[in-house]
């Protein structure tokens, strides 16, 4: 595999010497540039694995070039060349994101060693980025990321609902991503409905304001109504309105909402004009609407109008296969500008997998965001996680009960999860020693080695603990 390297230096002699020296590596394709501005243009035009740059160049100096690389998040490793009198500048360049620096005159053996190491690490970073992109493409559905069979069933249902005008009711605990699913439904309907997605959080508004927010008002309809205002239903004409926490709508407002669902029309507050709208309604709740109906707090006829297509979002604890996927995604999302995404150490991942996540995806995202802020090294360690995650609590490793899957398959999955967790704990206690791990488990060394290979567990990970 050929890799491309760019040499940026205002000295033609230096450029040619470096080209001659590096040309011995036939896997390298080498370009040379004499000033910083031309180097900037070359980086924009071609994909380079490595940039070898001087700090003092015409038009654009090396420091500004490094800043540009970091701001644009270019996947290129930067090595700085500088004179003995400019070591402070080289250190500053390292702080800006340069990989290493070399002092002039450059030692040929040291240069080759640094470049080989840099190219090796760049290849690993590129491979991680490629795999992350493939992973997200495979498991991403309209910005909803999951590899859970239950969530993929939800995605399939959304595709069926997309071309229709049917009302959708989304049920799920707080933090499961109900609003994100509503947005996915809206985006999947884009070919059939060109209007906007309009969101209203029903629990956040008092009853006297909710009617005006939903249906709008005419000038002078109430104190402070200085002019006509369109409501959310009118704003969403041709698109989608998302009623979040619909179970908190007062009974008096439920009657008016029922009429809109039945007749697709309404009047503004203080008005008599009949306004017709073409809107898909998506409602969401973290409460049981049937229980609210039985308690007399929610109209039964409105419930049936909303419950045309029901989507039930499973809590995160019932889709543990998504924890590592989402954690890796959030680590990339909250990477500091100009820095690669932090990896998650095996110990930290074990704690993430052992947590019950009562706050669901939202709690996981907050935990990873915090860890990205406080982590000092390239990896998130167990101690970087929030306090409630820093002590492992025993957890029954039972997958979500899916009656569409054979019992034998679920049993195999449960046993595999238990064995994997047991082996990681035993290796941690034995500091990666396979013999001691075998003694703890009561299995032979050969059996332990076979299972480590089967579950892709590296014993060396635990030798430093």
């Amino acid at each position: 595999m050929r890799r491309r390297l760019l040499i940026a230096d205002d000295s033609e002699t230096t450029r040619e010497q470096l080209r001659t020296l590096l040309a011995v590596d036939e896997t390298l394709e080498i370009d040379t540039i004499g000033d910083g501005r031309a180097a900037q243009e070359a980086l924009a035009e071609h994909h380079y694995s490595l940039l070898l740059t001087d700090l003092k160049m015409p038009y654009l100096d090396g420091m500004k070039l490094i800043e540009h690389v970091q701001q644009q998040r270019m996947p290129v490793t930067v090595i700085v060349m500088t004179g003995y009198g400019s070591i402070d500048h080289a250190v500053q360049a390292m702080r800006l994101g340069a990989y290493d620096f070399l002092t002039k005159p450059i030692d040929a053996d040291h240069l080759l060693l640094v470049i080989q190491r840099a190219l090796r690490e760049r290849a690993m970073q590129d491979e991680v980025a490629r795999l992350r992109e493939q992973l997200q493409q495979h498991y991403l559905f309209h910005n909803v990321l999951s590899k859970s069979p239950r969530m993929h069933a939800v995605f399939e249902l959304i595709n069926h609902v997309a071309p229709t005008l049917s009302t959708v009711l989304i049920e799920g605990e707080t933090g499961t991503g109900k609003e994100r699913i509503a947005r996915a439904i809206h985006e999947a309907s884009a070919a059939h409905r060109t209007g906007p997605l309009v969101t209203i959080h029903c629990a956040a508004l008092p009853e006297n304001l909710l009617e005006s927010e939903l249906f709008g008002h005419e000038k002078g309809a109430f104190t402070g109504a200085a002019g006509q205002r369109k409501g959310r239903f009118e704003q969403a004409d041709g698109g989608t309105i998302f009623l979040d926490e619909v179970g908190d709508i007062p009974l008096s407002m439920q009657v008016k909402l029922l009429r809109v669902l039945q007749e697709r029309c309404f009047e503004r507050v203080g008005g008599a004009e009949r306004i017709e709208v073409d809107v898909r309604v998506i409602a969401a709740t973290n409460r049981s609407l049937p229980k609210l109906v039985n308690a007399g707090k929610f109209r039964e006829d409105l419930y049936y109008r909303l419950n045309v297509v029901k989507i039930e979002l499973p809590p995160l604890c019932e889709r543990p296969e998504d924890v590592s996927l989402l954690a890796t995604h959030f680590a990339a999302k909250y990477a500091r500008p100009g820095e690669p995404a932090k990896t998650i150490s095996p110990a930290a991942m074990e704690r993430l997998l052992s947590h019950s996540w009562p706050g669901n995806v939202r709690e996981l995202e907050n935990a990873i965001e915090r860890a990205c802020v406080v982590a000092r090294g390239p990896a998130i360690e167990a101690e970087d996680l929030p306090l409630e995650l820093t002590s492992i609590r025993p957890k029954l490793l039972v997958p979500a009960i899916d009656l569409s899957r054979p019992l034998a398959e679920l049993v195999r999955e449960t046993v595999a999860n238990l064995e994997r967790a047991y082996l990681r704990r035993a290796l941690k206690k034995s500091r990666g020693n396979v013999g001691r791990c075998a003694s703890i488990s009561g299995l032979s060394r050969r059996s332990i080695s076979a299972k480590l290979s089967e579950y892709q567990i590296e014993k060396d990970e635990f030798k430093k603990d």
Side-chain angles (χ1 to χ4, degrees), residues 80-87 90 100-107 110:
V80 170
M81 298 179 292
T82 183
Y84 281 112
S86 303
I87 299 297
D100 206 343
F101 70 90
L102 303 166
T103 55
K104 295 180 178 179
I106 293 173
D107 178 85
H110 182 59

Side-chain angles (χ1 to χ4, degrees), residues 188-343:
S189 307
H192 311 279
R193 309 192 57 75
T194 58
L197 171 66
V198 177
T199 298
I200 182 166
H201 297 277
C202 302
L205 294 169
E207 183 176 354
N208 60 331
L209 292 180
L210 184 58
E211 183 177 7
S212 175
E213 282 294 320
L214 288 174
F215 308 124
H217 60 255
E218 298 290 351
K219 180 179 179 180
F222 50 83
T223 303
Q228 185 191 79
R229 182 182 183 278
K230 290 184 178 181
R232 302 295 178 93
F233 269 95
E234 212 169 338
Q235 295 170 24
D237 191 24
T240 307
I241 186 167
F242 174 51
L243 307 175
D244 196 11
E245 302 307 343
V246 71
D248 292 307
I249 293 180
L251 281 169
S252 59
M253 279 299 303
Q254 292 178 26
V255 179
K256 298 177 181 179
L257 178 59
L258 177 63
R259 181 195 170 196
V260 178
L261 294 177
Q262 290 174 331
E263 303 177 12
R264 301 288 170 177
C265 68
F266 58 90
E267 294 87 30
R268 298 190 189 104
V269 177
E273 179 187 359
R274 179 186 174 95
I275 300 171
E276 295 185 356
V277 289
D278 173 24
V279 176
R280 181 211 289 281
V281 176
I282 302 176
T285 179
N286 62 0
R287 306 168 70 184
S288 170
L289 293 188
K291 288 183 179 179
L292 292 178
V293 170
N294 292 335
K297 296 180 179 180
F298 202 85
R299 292 181 62 96
E300 186 175 18
D301 47 4
L302 176 58
Y303 169 65
Y304 289 121
R305 278 289 177 182
L306 292 173
N307 191 28
V308 178
V309 177
K310 180 186 286 187
I311 293 178
E312 297 183 33
L313 294 185
L316 188 57
C317 64
E318 292 183 10
R319 45 189 179 108
E321 59 271 85
D322 280 348
V323 173
S324 58
L325 179 68
L326 290 169
T328 303
H329 167 72
F330 292 138
K333 178 180 177 179
Y334 293 108
R336 294 180 180 179
E339 295 184 7
K342 292 186 182 297
T343 58

Side-chain angles (χ1 to χ4, degrees), residues 131-206:
L131 291 173
R132 184 180 287 122
E133 184 178 352
Q134 287 183 349
L135 189 65
Q136 292 206 357
Q137 287 176 351
H138 187 68
Y139 295 120
L140 193 64
F141 178 84
H142 292 287
N143 291 317
V144 181
L145 192 61
S146 176
K147 58 181 179 180
S148 163
R150 291 182 64 182
M151 288 300 294
H152 281 245
V154 170
F155 299 160
E156 186 176 351
L157 179 57
I158 290 174
N159 280 329
H160 285 300
V161 172
T164 73
L165 190 59
S166 299
T167 301
V168 180
L169 177 62
I170 305 172
E171 292 185 347
E173 296 177 5
T174 299
T176 49
K178 296 186 290 295
E179 185 169 354
R180 193 171 287 272
I181 291 295
R183 189 169 297 278
I185 297 170
H186 174 73
E187 291 176 359
S189 307
H192 311 279
R193 309 192 57 75
T194 58
L197 171 66
V198 177
T199 298
I200 182 166
H201 297 277
C202 302
L205 294 169

